[in-house]
Amino acid sequence: MEVLREKVEEEEEAEREEAAERAEREKAAWQVEVRLEETTLSPETLRELERKVSEIETPVLTGPPVITKDTIDISSLPLSYKTNTAKEEHLLQVADDFSRQYSHLCPDRVPLFLHPLNECEVPKFVSTTIRPTLMPYPDLYNWDGCAQFVADFLTVVPLPDPLKPLVKKQERVLPKKYAVKPPRDLSSRFEQEQELKRQQQIRDQEERRLREEEERLLEAEKPKPDPLHGLRVHCWVLVLSGKREVPETFFIDPFTARSYSTKDDNFLGIESLWNHKNYWINMQDCWNCCKDLIFDLGDPVRWEFMLLGTDKPNLSLIDDDDYELNDDDDLDNLGKEDEDKSFDMPHSWVEQIDISPEAFETRCPNGKKVIQYKRAKVEKWAPYLNSNGLVCRLTTYEDFECTKTLEVKEWFQNREDRLELKHVNKITGLNIDYFKPGHQQALRVHSYKSMQPEMDRVMEFYESIRVDGLIKREETPMTMTEYYQGRPDFLSYRHINFGPRVKKLALSSSDSKPVVKITERFLRNPAKPADEDIAERVFLVAEERIQLRYHCRDDHITASKREFLRRTEVDSKGNKIIMTPDMCLSFEVEPMEHTKRLLYQYQTMMQMKNEEKQSRHLAWESELEVLEILKLREEEEEAHTLTISIYDTRRNEKSKEYRETMERVMHEEHLRQVETQLDYLAPFLAQLPPGEKLTRWQAVRLKDECLSDFKQRLIDKANLIQARFEKETQELQKKQQWYQENQVTLTSEDEDQYLSYCSQAMFRIRILEQRLNRHKELAPLKYLALEEKLYKDPRLVELLKVFT
C-alpha cells in the first residue's frame, strides 16, 4: 500500500495547486462580469442575438433508447443465477469498498470491472464467473485455412524490341579498298535530339503518373485516424509461464482463439487481472504497451491484490536474517491476524458449459459469418447449412469500395462428387475446379471457360486410380494432348490434331472429328536396344505417312529415323503392290543387315499401320470420355448431393431408421424371452381350454400343481446331486482298494497317475457335497418364494384371496 500512500500525497498537492488556479479564474471572471455590467448593448444587437439563439434546435428524445438484449429464458436458470449467498454479498461489499478506495486514490484511471450484472440482472463478482473445472474441449475445425490470402504475383517478362534484331547476321568481310561506302546520313541531328527529348519527357510523365498513382493507393490504404484509439476496453486470456511446461507468458484472444505475444502492439495496456481466486490491479506504467510489464502477481508494488490468501506467494521485502519472531505471542497474533483478514472466494455460480453437437457445428450465430477486409470479403458457413456443401467463400475486389470483383474462391465439404475448391477468375472467365480423391472419373483438377464440348479446357487426373495412367488432358477446338505416367508400354505423350468436321445430311452427337495427325512419345525401354526402341512416332493420316524416331544411344549424338510412305495398292499395269524399297526412307546411325531387308521394313510398316488404327480408336475414346465427363459434371452441379456419415444419426435417416428398427426387434425379442422364462404357469395353463376364464377351483388346482411340480423338481435335483456324490465316492473307494492290492508291483508312473486321480476325485466329491448342502438350504426358501409369487400373480390373485 506504500504506492497508494504516495499517490495520496501527490493527489493532495495537485488539489492545492488546482484550488489556487480556481481562485485566479474566479477573480478573472469577476473582473469580466464587472466590465460587462459597465457595457451597454444596443436594441439591434439584442434582437440579432435573440434571433440567432432562436435558430438553435435542441434535439429532443421521442422515447427511451432502444436496447436490444439476447432473449434468454431465465426461468430455466438455477437459483445461483438469480440470488446471491451471504458469502457473495460479503464479497460484493468488499469489492465496493475496494473500488471506492481505488477511485479516490486513482481518479484518472478507468473504473474497475468488478461486479457486472448477469443474465438475471444480479451483480456477480467477476472471479466467481470462472469455473475452474477442467473439461475435455473438442478439437475445433480449421476455418483459418479458408481465410488465408494467397497473393498471385504476375511476372512481367519484357518483350524484345522489334527494332533490335534478335540474331545478328554475320556479314561478309571485304578488303577495305573494295568495301562499298555507306550512304551519307542526310537526316537532321537536331531533329533526332528533339525526338529523343520528347520521348524522354513522355517516359518521365509516365513514371510520374505511376508514382503518383502508387502514392495515392498507399494513402488510400492507410487506416483512418481512430478517435477511440486507446479508449476501448477488451477482455482476453492471460496464460502465465511456469506451470504445465509453458515456456513464456502469452495472450489468447477469446473471439478468434489465436495466441499473441505479450509484446504485441495490438494490446495497449492492462487495467486488471483476475482468476477464480483473486483480483489484481496493474500499478505499472503502460507507456510502451505491454512490452515492459512484469507479470509477477506476487509483487504488491506492481500488482495490487484485492483479497489476502492469494495462491501466488508475495515477494519477500525483508531478509529472513534481519527479521526473526522469537515471541510465541507474536506468532499467535500473526496467525490470528492473517486468519481474520483472509477471505475464501465463493464457488462459481455458473453451470458447466454444455454445448450440443448441433450448436457446436454452427460455429457462429445462425451458422454464418462475414469478415470484411481491404478489397476482399470472407464468408463462412457451418457444414450442411448450404444444400451445395459451401462452407467458405473468398471474394477479392479491384477497388476499395468492393464493386469490381476480380476472383472468387469457394470451398466445399461433404460433396458426393468430391468437389473441394472452385476458383473463378472474373477477368479472364477461367474456372478451376479442384477435387479430392474418389471422383467417379478420377478427376483432380478441371480448368475451363465453358462447359460446352470442343472448347479450351484442361483436365488433370489421379494417375494411381486410372488404369491407363493418364495424368493430364489438354483440349482445344482442333487439338487434344494427353500425358501419361507409369504405363507398361512406356507411353508418356499423345498429341492429336483434328480436321474440320465433315457436314453430313444426318448429324448425330456421336460423330467424331476427323483425325489429321497423331504424335506419340515414349520413354526409354531398357529391355530394348536404343536403335530399336521408338522414342516418337507420328501418324500423318491425311498424307498417309508414318514417321519414326528412335532413342539416341549414350555414345551417339544423333538418333536413327525411319519414314514409311503408303502408296496405291496397284501399279499402272494393275498388279498388286505389297512393298517397294522407295516406300521406306531410313537414316541409321549404325546400319545393320536385317534392317535393310525388305521383309523387315514390310513387317515394321504393317505393325505401324495396326498401331495407327489403335491410336485413332483411342483418340475417339478420349473424345467420348470428355463428353461423358462434361455430362457427369453438369449432373453433379445440378444435383450437388452431399454425403452423410453412417455415424451421423441426426442426418442419416436410413441409418437412423435401421438402427431404431434393430433396437425395437431386439427389445421385443428380449421381452419375449424374459416373459417365456418367467411364466411359470405357462405349462399348466396350456392344459386348459384356450380363452376360458379361470374359476376358483381351477386356480387352486393350478397353484397346487405348480407347487408340487416345483417341489418334485427340487427333490429330483437333490437326488441327482446325491447320486453323483455316491458314484464318485464308490469309484474312489474302488481305486483305493485296487491300489492296496497292487501297491507292491506299481511303478512310479502308476503311482503318479493314482495320486492325480485321487486329487481330482476328492475335488469333485467336495464340490458335489457343497452343492448338495447349498441346495438343502435354498430349497425351502425357493419353495416359499414361488408360493408367494403365485398368491401375487395377477391371474390368480383375485381367486386366491379367500385362501390367504
Side-chain angles (χ1 to χ4, degrees):
M1 301 297 291
E2 293 179 0
V3 177
L4 298 181
R5 294 193 191 96
E6 294 177 359
K7 285 186 173 292
V8 170
E9 295 176 359
E10 294 176 358
E11 293 295 335
E12 291 177 356
E13 184 178 355
E15 289 179 359
R16 288 194 296 269
E17 295 177 355
E18 186 178 356
E21 294 177 357
R22 191 183 305 111
E24 293 179 358
R25 287 196 300 270
E26 290 177 356
K27 183 178 179 180
W30 178 77
Q31 294 176 356
V32 172
E33 290 177 359
V34 171
R35 288 195 298 269
L36 288 175
E37 290 178 357
E38 295 176 355
T39 305
T40 57
L41 298 176
S42 61
E44 291 80 4
T45 305
L46 292 176
R47 284 193 296 271
E48 183 67 20
L49 182 61
E50 183 180 0
R51 185 183 61 81
K52 291 181 178 181
V53 172
S54 62
E55 291 178 356
I56 300 176
E57 296 182 0
T58 305
V60 180
L61 296 177
T62 57
V66 179
I67 302 176
T68 60
K69 297 183 178 180
D70 296 335
T71 56
I72 300 177
D73 186 12
I74 61 175
S75 61
S76 60
L77 297 178
L79 188 62
S80 61
Y81 283 69
K82 304 175 183 178
T83 59
N84 286 325
T85 62
K87 200 170 186 179
E88 290 177 336
E89 293 290 346
H90 184 198
L91 179 61
L92 293 177
Q93 294 177 3
V94 173
D96 288 336
D97 295 340
F98 186 78
S99 179
R100 283 194 296 269
Q101 295 179 18
Y102 173 78
S103 300
H104 176 69
L105 299 177
C106 306
D108 58 334
R109 293 188 60 174
V110 180
L112 296 178
F113 186 72
L114 288 173
H115 41 72
L117 300 178
N118 66 351
E119 299 88 339
C120 302
E121 302 295 333
V122 177
K124 295 287 185 177
F125 190 65
V126 289
S127 295
T128 61
T129 61
I130 302 175
R131 187 182 182 91
T133 306
L134 298 178
M135 299 174 58
Y137 292 99
D139 295 334
L140 297 178
Y141 292 92
N142 186 9
W143 285 73
D144 298 336
C146 300
Q148 291 178 352
F149 293 141
V150 180
D152 299 327
F153 295 98
L154 178 62
T155 303
V156 181
V157 180
L159 297 176
D161 191 355
L163 300 179
K164 187 180 299 183
L166 297 179
V167 181
K168 294 183 178 180
K169 295 183 179 180
Q170 196 173 22
E171 298 179 357
R172 184 179 178 184
V173 180
L174 297 176
K176 187 175 182 180
K177 62 180 181 178
Y178 298 108
V180 180
K181 295 182 179 180
R184 297 182 64 181
D185 188 8
L186 302 178
S187 61
S188 173
R189 186 176 301 174
F190 175 76
E191 292 180 355
Q192 294 179 0
E193 292 177 356
Q194 294 298 322
E195 180 66 20
L196 293 176
K197 289 182 180 179
R198 188 180 64 83
Q199 294 181 0
Q200 183 65 28
Q201 290 178 357
I202 294 175
R203 286 194 295 268
D204 294 342
Q205 292 177 0
E206 183 67 19
E207 292 178 358
R208 191 183 306 109
R209 186 187 65 81
L210 294 177
R211 186 167 56 254
E212 292 177 355
E213 182 70 17
E214 184 178 358
E215 292 177 356
R216 187 185 65 81
L217 292 177
L218 292 176
E219 187 66 25
E221 289 182 358
K222 288 183 179 179
K224 297 180 180 180
D226 188 4
L228 299 178
H229 180 72
L231 301 179
R232 297 182 179 88
V233 179
H234 177 48
C235 296
W236 64 90
V237 181
L238 170 66
V239 181
L240 296 176
S241 60
K243 295 183 178 180
R244 300 187 180 181
E245 299 180 358
V246 178
E248 60 181 3
T249 304
F250 63 93
F251 297 138
I252 297 178
D253 187 4
F255 291 128
T256 60
R258 296 178 180 175
S259 62
Y260 296 88
S261 172
T262 55
K263 302 183 184 302
D264 196 291
D265 295 334
N266 293 321
F267 299 91
L268 305 180
I270 297 178
E271 291 291 339
S272 58
L273 297 176
W274 69 86
N275 61 3
H276 63 288
K277 293 185 177 181
N278 210 334
Y279 191 96
W280 294 269
I281 302 174
N282 180 25
M283 306 303 296
Q284 305 174 67
D285 192 359
C286 297
W287 67 272
N288 195 19
C289 299
C290 300
K291 299 178 181 179
D292 300 334
L293 294 184
I294 299 177
F295 295 94
D296 185 5
L297 302 184
D299 188 352
V301 178
R302 294 185 175 92
W303 297 94
E304 183 69 30
F305 57 88
M306 175 178 168
L307 302 176
L308 291 176
T310 176
D311 57 342
K312 193 172 184 63
N314 294 337
L315 292 180
S316 179
L317 302 180
I318 303 176
D319 295 338
D320 295 338
D321 298 338
D322 299 336
Y323 183 76
E324 295 181 358
L325 294 176
N326 298 324
D327 193 358
D328 296 338
D329 297 336
D330 294 340
L331 288 173
D332 297 338
N333 296 333
L334 180 62
K336 292 180 180 179
E337 183 179 359
D338 292 342
E339 183 179 358
D340 295 337
K341 290 184 178 180
S342 62
F343 185 85
D344 294 335
M345 188 69 65
H347 295 289
S348 178
W349 54 272
V350 298
E351 287 185 326
Q352 182 176 352
I353 298 178
D354 184 16
I355 303 177
S356 62
E358 294 80 7
F360 180 75
E361 284 186 357
T362 57
R363 303 180 182 180
C364 48
N366 300 324
K368 181 180 180 181
K369 184 177 182 180
V370 180
I371 306 175
Q372 192 72 36
Y373 296 94
K374 288 182 181 179
R375 294 187 292 184
K377 182 176 65 174
V378 177
E379 302 171 83
K380 299 180 180 180
W381 292 271
Y384 296 103
L385 185 64
N386 295 322
S387 59
N388 61 348
L390 181 64
V391 296
C392 184
R393 179 189 292 133
L394 170 60
T395 308
T396 55
Y397 302 91
E398 183 179 358
D399 54 345
F400 290 97
E401 292 77 14
C402 298
T403 57
K404 299 179 181 179
T405 305
L406 290 178
E407 61 179 13
V408 179
K409 291 183 179 181
E410 295 179 340
W411 284 264
F412 299 86
Q413 287 184 4
N414 307 311
R415 288 279 295 241
E416 192 176 39
D417 57 359
R418 311 300 295 169
L419 179 64
E420 182 181 16
L421 172 62
K422 181 184 289 291
H423 185 187
V424 181
N425 192 321
K426 296 295 184 179
I427 304 300
T428 61
L430 180 63
N431 301 299
I432 305 178
D433 299 342
Y434 298 87
F435 299 85
K436 294 181 180 179
H439 189 264
Q440 184 175 350
Q441 294 289 344
L443 199 61
R444 188 172 68 90
V445 181
H446 183 200
S447 305
Y448 58 94
K449 291 186 178 180
S450 174
M451 291 296 290
Q452 297 297 326
E454 300 182 6
M455 300 292 291
D456 293 345
R457 73 183 68 257
V458 177
M459 295 183 181
E460 298 182 16
F461 304 88
Y462 289 96
E463 68 278 1
S464 59
I465 302 176
R466 292 184 63 98
V467 181
D468 56 356
L470 180 63
I471 60 176
K472 187 177 181 181
R473 177 184 286 132
E474 299 176 355
E475 184 184 10
T476 63
M478 302 302 294
T479 62
M480 179 183 293
T481 306
E482 297 177 338
Y483 301 87
Y484 298 88
Q485 182 178 350
R487 287 176 60 100
D489 57 356
F490 297 93
L491 177 65
S492 61
Y493 173 86
R494 178 185 287 128
H495 181 78
I496 308 167
N497 294 84
F498 299 98
R501 193 184 301 274
V502 180
K503 295 184 179 181
K504 296 182 180 181
L505 297 178
L507 296 177
S508 62
S509 59
S510 61
D511 293 338
S512 60
K513 294 177 291 185
V515 178
V516 177
K517 179 182 177 181
I518 300 177
T519 303
E520 295 179 344
R521 296 172 185 169
F522 299 84
L523 299 176
R524 182 72 174 90
N525 186 2
K528 293 182 179 181
D531 295 336
E532 298 180 4
D533 189 10
I534 298 176
E536 182 183 61
R537 62 188 182 191
V538 181
F539 300 108
L540 300 173
V541 181
E543 301 177 9
E544 295 186 350
R545 288 192 302 162
I546 301 176
Q547 298 176 351
L548 302 180
R549 179 176 61 85
Y550 296 87
H551 282 278
C552 182
R553 294 173 54 176
D554 297 337
D555 55 347
H556 290 73
I557 60 175
T558 57
S560 301
K561 296 181 181 180
R562 185 172 283 110
E563 182 177 359
F564 295 97
L565 305 176
R566 291 182 297 173
R567 298 181 179 178
T568 56
E569 300 294 334
V570 294
D571 56 7
S572 58
K573 297 182 179 181
N575 299 324
K576 186 176 181 180
I577 300 176
I578 299 178
M579 185 68 186
T580 59
D582 57 347
M583 294 176 63
C584 179
L585 304 178
S586 301
F587 168 75
E588 298 183 11
V589 179
E590 291 186 359
M592 291 178 288
E593 292 297 332
H594 71 280
T595 59
K596 295 181 180 180
R597 296 175 182 174
L598 199 61
L599 178 61
Y600 174 81
Q601 297 175 359
Y602 173 74
Q603 293 176 351
T604 305
M605 185 181 69
M606 297 306 296
Q607 181 183 359
M608 291 299 105
K609 285 185 178 181
N610 296 332
E611 295 291 343
E612 178 183 349
K613 293 180 181 179
Q614 183 69 17
S615 298
R616 293 177 64 181
H617 180 73
L618 293 176
W620 175 73
E621 288 184 350
S622 297
E623 288 187 88
L624 293 182
E625 184 180 10
V626 170
L627 297 177
E628 183 180 354
I629 292 176
L630 294 179
K631 182 179 179 181
L632 178 63
R633 287 294 301 130
E634 291 180 355
E635 295 175 355
E636 291 172 347
E637 288 295 335
E638 184 178 358
H640 49 74
T641 309
L642 302 181
T643 60
I644 301 176
S645 174
I646 58 175
Y647 303 103
D648 191 353
T649 57
R650 187 171 63 90
R651 295 187 180 92
N652 198 330
E653 297 295 335
K654 295 182 179 179
S655 177
K656 184 178 180 180
E657 293 177 359
Y658 178 76
R659 181 175 56 84
E660 292 178 352
T661 303
M662 293 300 297
E663 289 179 354
R664 184 174 63 256
V665 171
M666 293 177 62
H667 181 66
E668 294 176 354
E669 181 67 18
H670 177 70
L671 292 179
R672 186 183 62 80
Q673 293 179 359
V674 171
E675 184 178 359
T676 304
Q677 294 175 359
L678 298 180
D679 192 7
Y680 32 82
L681 291 177
F684 305 100
L685 291 174
Q687 301 176 5
L688 300 177
E692 184 178 354
K693 187 176 181 181
L694 290 176
T695 60
R696 185 172 299 174
W697 177 80
Q698 289 177 341
V700 174
R701 186 168 63 85
L702 283 174
K703 177 183 73 67
D704 295 336
E705 290 180 356
C706 184
L707 290 175
S708 61
D709 181 75
F710 184 72
K711 181 179 179 181
Q712 185 61 37
R713 285 193 287 113
L714 292 176
I715 295 173
D716 295 340
K717 186 176 181 180
N719 294 334
L720 180 61
I721 298 175
Q722 182 68 30
R724 291 180 178 176
F725 176 78
E726 293 176 355
K727 180 180 179 182
E728 290 290 340
T729 305
Q730 292 176 3
E731 290 180 357
L732 179 59
Q733 291 176 356
K734 292 180 180 179
K735 196 68 175 178
Q736 290 176 349
Q737 185 178 359
W738 172 82
Y739 177 78
Q740 293 294 335
E741 295 175 353
N742 304 300
Q743 184 177 4
V744 180
T745 60
L746 293 178
T747 62
S748 59
E749 184 178 354
D750 295 337
E751 290 181 356
D752 293 338
Q753 293 179 358
Y754 169 76
L755 294 177
S756 176
Y757 174 82
C758 291
S759 176
Q760 295 178 2
M762 291 299 298
F763 175 78
R764 290 193 294 269
I765 292 173
R766 187 164 55 253
I767 293 298
L768 291 172
E769 184 179 4
Q770 291 177 359
R771 292 181 60 184
L772 183 60
N773 295 333
R774 187 169 179 271
H775 180 72
K776 291 180 180 179
E777 294 175 358
L778 296 179
L781 299 178
K782 292 181 179 180
Y783 184 86
L784 295 176
L786 178 60
E787 186 178 11
E788 184 178 359
K789 287 182 180 180
L790 290 174
Y791 278 109
K792 293 181 180 180
D793 190 280
R795 294 166 291 186
L796 306 177
V797 63
E798 296 294 336
L799 301 175
L800 299 178
K801 281 184 178 180
V802 182
F803 302 96
T804 56

